[in-house]
């Protein structure tokens, strides 16, 4: 049964069938061959119960929020402001890429949107100033992964929904690791550019007067992030209500900084519908597959298999980490999450680990899937923005940052309090 499930998953994905459909087909196959009961008679109820949740309404709101910020030009002004503050470091504008990705991640909730935004703004600067294309583009692709770690995060909402974990606590748990990962990216950049200064290109030194003047361009995103997170933890709004407040604020920010056109609104709404439809198909398919896996005993069989290996809890966890790294080469992030959560999370809990902590560890592991070929979406997003040079430049450029992610995984395993301190304190 385990071989059928894993083999069927890879075979169907290799046929380029959409992931949401793959999850449904797997559920149908397991029901037909391994279940003594006609599980598909409950399909309508399972689909309805999985989609009839107020929590999931936060997803289109956060997607729309990011669409508005991308299409209104707010990100361009944010990049220019951060450029004045951090580009004096060894590596120059590469730090502006990472800092902008970090700040934009705190409002968009989407890694691909973050990478696309920063790439479109930063690439012309790199061409003019002669930066090494590998490290520069690699930093953008890696920085974009922060979109699913730093709250608000669509992937954390999906994880919380599927595992019945508190989403506000997940947001808190992801904040410190997300900021630490951004700092690690900047440290890696400094190390490489100190060893070989030509990688970073010329830094841009700004006067303190200019730095203070451009702070006004950082206020909108910082205020938006503070409002969304603040109303959640003050108990004034649920994550869904906070997302709606964020959309209203994003419209207000766009209105004050640029002219809102019907075309911009139309494109933002169309982009939101496309992205939300894709996410919801995958989430509902995962819920159906979860139902079938549990009823047919696949999850229990996998737990027994891992238990019979005779390994301790830490060794089993490391096996799970390796599995995620390998799967990340072939499966897109959200798909990787929803396809594995029903199987892996019960095993992790049985090992005695906190599912809140594991959610953050899983997010870092699936972040790596965004920058590892052949299906690393951020690689293709950044390459599309570059419009020249081989894709291998981006692939080579992300290697140092992927190693930084592995280091963060190690830190989380050694020091779980990195993720659990804020949720347990506040």
């Amino acid at each position: 049964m385990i071989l059928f499930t894993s083999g069927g998953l890879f075979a169907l994905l290799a046929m380029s069938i959409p992931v949401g459909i793959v999850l449904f087909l797997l559920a149908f196959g397991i029901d037909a061959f391994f279940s003594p009961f006609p599980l598909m008679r409950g399909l309508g109820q399972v689909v309805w119960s999985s989609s009839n949740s107020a929590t999931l309404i936060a997803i289109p709101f956060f997607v729309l929020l990011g669409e508005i910020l991308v299409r209104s030009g707010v990100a361009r002004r944010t990049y220019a402001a951060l450029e004045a503050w951090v580009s004096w470091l060894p590596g120059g504008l590469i730090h502006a890429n990472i800092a902008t990705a970090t700040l934009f991640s705190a409002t968009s909730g989407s890694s691909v949107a973050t990478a696309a935004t920063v790439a479109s703004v930063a690439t012309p600067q790199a061409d003019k100033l002669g930066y090494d294309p590998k490290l520069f583009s690699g930093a953008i692709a890696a920085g974009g992964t922060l979109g699913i770690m730093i709250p608000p995060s669509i992937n954390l909402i999906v994880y919380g929904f599927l595992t019945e974990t508190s989403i506000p606590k997940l947001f808190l748990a992801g904040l410190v690791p997300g900021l630490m990962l951004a700092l690690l990216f900047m440290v890696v950049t400094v190390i490489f550019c100190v060893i070989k200064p030509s990688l970073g290109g010329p830094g841009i030194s700004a006067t303190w007067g200019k730095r203070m003047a451009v702070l006004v361009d950082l206020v909108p995103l910082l205020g938006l992030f503070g409002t969304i997170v603040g109303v959640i933890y003050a108990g004034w709004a649920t994550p869904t209500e906070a997302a709606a407040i964020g959309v209203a604020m994003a419209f207000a920010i766009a209105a004050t900084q640029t002219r809102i056109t019907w075309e911009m609104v139309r494109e933002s709404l169309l982009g939101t519908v496309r992205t939300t439809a894709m996410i919801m198909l995958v989430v509902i398919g995962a819920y159906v597959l979860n139902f079938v896996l549990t009823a047919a005993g696949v999850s229990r069989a996998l737990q027994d298999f891992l238990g019979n290996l005779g390994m301790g809890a830490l060794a089993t966890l490391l096996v799970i980490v390796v599995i995620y790294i390998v799967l990340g080469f072939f499966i897109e992030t959200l798909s990787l999450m929803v396809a594995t959560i029903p199987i892996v999370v019960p095993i992790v809990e049985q090992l005695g680990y906190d599912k809140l902590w594991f959610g953050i560890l899983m997010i870092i592991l699936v972040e790596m899937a965004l920058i590892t070929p052949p299906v690393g979406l951020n690689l293709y997003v950044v390459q599309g923005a570059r419009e020249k040079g081989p894709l291998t430049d981006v692939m080579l450029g992300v290697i140092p940052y992927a190693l930084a992610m592995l280091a963060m995984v190690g830190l989380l395993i050694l020091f779980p309090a990195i993720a659990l301190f804020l949720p347990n304190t506040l």
Side-chain angles (χ1 to χ4, degrees):
M1 190 159 37
I2 295 173
L3 289 176
F4 176 88
T5 305
S6 56
L9 178 65
F10 278 109
L12 292 171
L13 289 173
M15 296 168 64
S16 298
I17 299 173
V19 175
I21 303 300
V22 166
L23 298 176
F24 276 101
L25 291 177
L26 272 178
F28 296 154
I30 294 170
D31 175 45
F33 294 108
F34 299 104
S35 175
F37 306 106
L39 297 176
M40 286 304 105
R41 291 188 180 181
L43 179 63
Q45 179 61 35
V46 174
V47 170
W48 170 252
S49 62
S50 64
S51 55
N52 183 28
S53 170
T55 302
L56 294 177
I57 301 175
I59 293 175
F61 278 134
F62 280 125
V63 173
L64 178 57
L65 190 158
E67 290 278 346
I68 294 168
L69 294 178
V70 168
R71 299 180 189 278
S72 63
V74 172
R76 191 174 300 276
R77 284 181 286 275
T78 302
Y79 183 86
L82 290 171
E83 175 186 310
W85 277 92
V86 300
S87 59
W88 59 272
L89 291 166
L93 290 179
I94 298 176
H95 296 288
N97 298 344
I98 297 169
T100 303
T102 303
L103 187 56
F104 199 78
S105 296
T107 55
S108 75
S110 167
S111 287
V112 174
T114 299
T117 301
V118 179
S120 63
V121 173
T123 301
Q125 291 277 65
D127 294 338
K128 286 191 296 185
L129 298 175
Y131 277 76
D132 177 74
K134 297 182 183 68
L135 195 64
F136 194 89
S137 55
I140 298 174
T145 65
L146 298 170
I148 64 173
M149 171 65 79
I150 298 176
S153 162
I154 293 170
N155 290 58
L156 283 177
I157 292 173
V158 171
Y159 179 87
F161 174 72
L162 292 177
T163 62
E164 298 181 354
T165 306
S166 167
I167 292 172
K169 284 190 174 183
L170 281 169
F171 282 179
L172 272 181
L175 185 56
V176 173
L179 294 176
M180 285 182 64
L181 193 54
L183 185 60
L184 275 176
F185 288 164
M186 296 182 78
V187 170
V188 166
T189 302
V190 168
I191 292 172
F192 271 79
C193 293
V194 166
I195 294 173
K196 190 176 181 181
S198 61
L199 292 175
I204 298 176
S205 181
T207 64
W208 279 102
K210 180 179 179 182
R211 288 173 182 166
M212 300 308 293
V214 296
L215 279 178
V216 68
D217 291 325
L218 298 179
V219 171
L221 285 187
L222 289 173
L224 182 57
F225 171 72
T227 300
I228 292 173
V229 174
V231 297
I232 292 175
Y233 298 117
W236 298 342
T238 65
T240 301
E241 293 164 344
I245 294 171
V247 170
M249 287 189 64
F251 266 113
I253 292 169
T256 57
Q257 297 200 6
T258 188
R259 187 169 63 90
I260 295 180
T261 64
W262 282 111
E263 183 62 23
M264 188 203 87
V265 174
R266 176 179 173 275
E267 290 297 321
S268 297
L269 291 173
L270 282 176
T272 300
V273 170
R274 292 191 199 99
T275 303
T276 303
M278 179 272 293
I279 292 172
M280 285 304 302
L281 178 62
V282 173
V283 169
I284 294 172
Y287 208 94
V288 172
L289 181 60
N290 184 16
F291 167 71
V292 173
L293 288 174
T294 303
V298 176
S299 299
R300 187 170 56 255
L302 185 56
Q303 290 172 14
D304 293 340
F305 170 75
L306 290 174
N308 292 333
L309 292 178
M311 298 186 298
L314 179 59
T316 305
L317 179 66
L318 293 177
V319 169
I320 292 172
V321 168
V322 172
I323 290 172
Y324 269 103
I325 293 173
V326 173
L327 290 178
F329 288 110
F330 309 102
I331 308 177
E332 181 268 333
T333 53
L334 184 62
S335 310
L336 176 58
M337 282 183 61
V338 298
T340 57
I341 282 173
I343 300 172
V344 173
V345 172
I347 296 173
V348 170
E349 286 191 286
Q350 191 178 51
L351 293 173
Y353 292 106
D354 190 315
K355 66 179 178 180
L356 178 66
W357 166 84
F358 182 73
I360 304 306
L361 184 71
M362 174 188 280
I363 288 293
I364 297 177
L365 292 170
V366 300
E367 277 182 329
M368 293 180 64
L370 284 165
I371 57 173
T372 50
V375 295
L377 290 182
N378 281 14
L379 301 178
Y380 300 104
V381 168
V382 173
Q383 178 64 16
R386 292 174 69 216
E387 296 181 346
K388 66 177 184 179
L391 179 62
T392 51
D393 281 355
V394 189
M395 293 180 179
L396 291 172
V398 300
I399 292 175
Y401 302 105
L403 295 176
M405 288 181 176
L406 282 178
M408 191 67 222
V409 168
L411 287 173
L412 268 178
I413 293 174
L414 290 173
F415 307 104
I418 293 173
L420 297 178
F421 174 74
L422 281 180
N424 291 339
T425 303
L426 299 180

